[in-house]
Amino acid sequence: MIEKLTKQQEDKIGEYYKEWLSIGVSCEPADRVRAEMAICGLYKIKGYKTPEFLWCRSPLEARQKYQCKTVYFLGQMDAYWICFYLYCRDVLGIKYDDKYSRILDLYAEIAKSCGWWYPYECAVVICEKPIECHMKSGLLHNDNGMAIRYNDGFGSWNLNGVMVSRELVESKAEDLDPKILFKEKNAEVRREIVRKIGIDRIVYKLGAISLDKDGDYELLNINIGDSRKRPYLKMKNPSIHTWHLEGVPPRIVTVKAALDWRNGTEMRPDILT
């Protein structure tokens, strides 16, 4: 039983992270021969015959051309878990069954050589790697366009690791209507809307009226476009330093009452979600 890592083992964590992060975000062309050989190795272990290989430019093409829907294997994007198990085996000396150790090596080969792949009994649909991948602090992020883009134009717009709309990324902050904040149901996307537009601009554009203030907390009365004003709690998340606006019941008129309602307790939250 390992109770404490050695200095050398701790140093290896950084090395493995750097190596496998670069694999996970690689935009190098797929090594088709290497990928196919590794997948054939997995099929052999499972007792299947050598499959036919069907290559696609992106997951979108795989879905449109071959009706691939459920993704089980992400190729290079499986790097995170492959890295963990390789580190445990090769650095910490954890013993794996020979068969599963071989399977791990084959998954590592696949991660180094291709993108998403969809296995079937007699065929495997495999995707090329993206041609662009933009990161910030280890998260998918691009302020000016797609964070990840494939050769056929498929991809996604991401801010700080959160998938958002093209409009949010490519529009200027001053051109965005703050009311989109109240139409969005996803809390993480709302966070990025606030971060993009800016909390002060949102409050000003919506004509918010301050009802109460306590430190970084402020209770605002806001008209969201239906001629009725509602109270919203403006608060700062101390863990990631971003602002939030969260609706509270109409009866609430103080920051304390809003926090008590939100948390079900009189204690102030250390981390807001």
Side-chain angles (χ1 to χ4, degrees):
M1 183 177 187
I2 298 174
E3 296 184 354
K4 185 178 180 180
L5 299 181
T6 66
K7 178 64 166 58
Q8 184 179 20
Q9 289 170 336
E10 289 181 349
D11 291 341
K12 283 290 184 180
I13 293 176
E15 293 178 21
Y16 269 63
Y17 172 80
K18 184 176 180 180
E19 176 189 356
W20 282 91
L21 178 61
S22 67
I23 291 170
V25 301
S26 170
C27 294
E28 295 288 327
D31 187 334
R32 296 192 174 194
V33 173
R34 187 179 186 182
E36 291 179 8
M37 288 181 63
I39 292 173
C40 282
L42 289 176
Y43 268 63
K44 184 177 180 180
I45 291 174
K46 295 293 184 179
Y48 292 111
K49 295 180 180 179
T50 299
E52 177 185 3
F53 291 98
L54 306 168
W55 283 85
C56 295
R57 292 174 296 172
S58 74
L60 177 63
E61 187 174 73
R63 171 172 290 195
Q64 292 178 338
K65 193 172 182 178
Y66 300 109
Q67 290 73 55
C68 298
K69 295 182 180 180
T70 304
V71 182
Y72 294 106
F73 304 103
L74 302 178
Q76 68 181 116
M77 296 182 188
D78 279 327
Y80 68 99
W81 68 262
I82 294 171
C83 173
F84 173 79
Y85 286 106
L86 284 175
Y87 174 84
C88 291
R89 184 191 69 183
D90 300 340
V91 178
L92 302 184
I94 304 297
K95 299 297 182 183
Y96 300 152
D97 179 275
D98 289 344
K99 173 184 174 182
Y100 292 109
S101 186
R102 173 59 178 157
I103 289 174
L104 177 61
D105 288 333
L106 290 171
Y107 277 123
E109 283 291 293
I110 295 169
K112 294 174 182 178
S113 53
C114 69
W116 294 13
W117 58 289
Y118 308 77
Y120 299 93
E121 185 174 348
C122 299
V124 178
V125 179
I126 317 180
C127 299
E128 288 282 347
K129 298 178 184 180
I131 59 174
E132 288 184 34
C133 187
H134 302 270
M135 305 284 289
K136 185 179 82 171
S137 303
L139 299 171
L140 280 172
H141 180 93
N142 188 1
D143 289 313
N144 303 304
M146 283 184 169
I148 186 166
R149 183 170 72 88
Y150 289 83
N151 192 40
D152 62 352
F154 174 70
S156 67
W157 289 264
N158 298 72
L159 295 173
N160 300 293
V162 180
M163 186 180 294
V164 298
S165 67
R166 178 178 183 175
E167 178 190 18
L168 182 60
V169 171
E170 297 187 2
S171 297
K172 294 180 180 179
E174 55 267 28
D175 294 334
L176 290 168
D177 184 352
K179 290 188 177 67
I180 64 174
L181 179 66
F182 304 105
K183 298 177 182 178
E184 178 57 55
K185 296 181 180 180
N186 184 289
E188 291 187 327
V189 176
R190 289 201 304 269
R191 182 190 72 204
E192 294 308 317
I193 291 173
V194 173
R195 202 196 302 251
K196 175 70 180 272
I197 299 177
I199 189 66
D200 292 333
R201 182 181 285 113
I202 288 175
V203 170
Y204 173 76
K205 288 282 188 179
L206 294 176
I209 298 174
S210 180
L211 299 177
D212 188 30
K213 190 171 183 179
D214 184 357
D216 284 335
Y217 300 95
E218 186 173 9
L219 190 65
L220 303 170
N221 222 15
I222 299 176
N223 181 350
I224 64 174
D226 60 0
S227 300
R228 291 187 299 169
K229 291 187 176 182
R230 297 179 178 85
Y232 281 81
L233 183 63
K234 170 189 166 187
M235 50 196 171
K236 190 174 185 179
N237 187 325
S239 62
I240 55 177
H241 307 292
T242 57
W243 288 94
H244 298 257
L245 279 175
E246 185 171 307
V248 297
R251 67 178 185 277
I252 289 177
V253 294
T254 66
V255 167
K256 181 180 182 303
L259 287 171
D260 290 349
W261 173 85
R262 183 183 188 275
N263 305 314
T265 173
E266 294 185 0
M267 295 179 63
R268 298 294 177 90
D270 293 326
I271 298 177
L272 303 173
T273 57

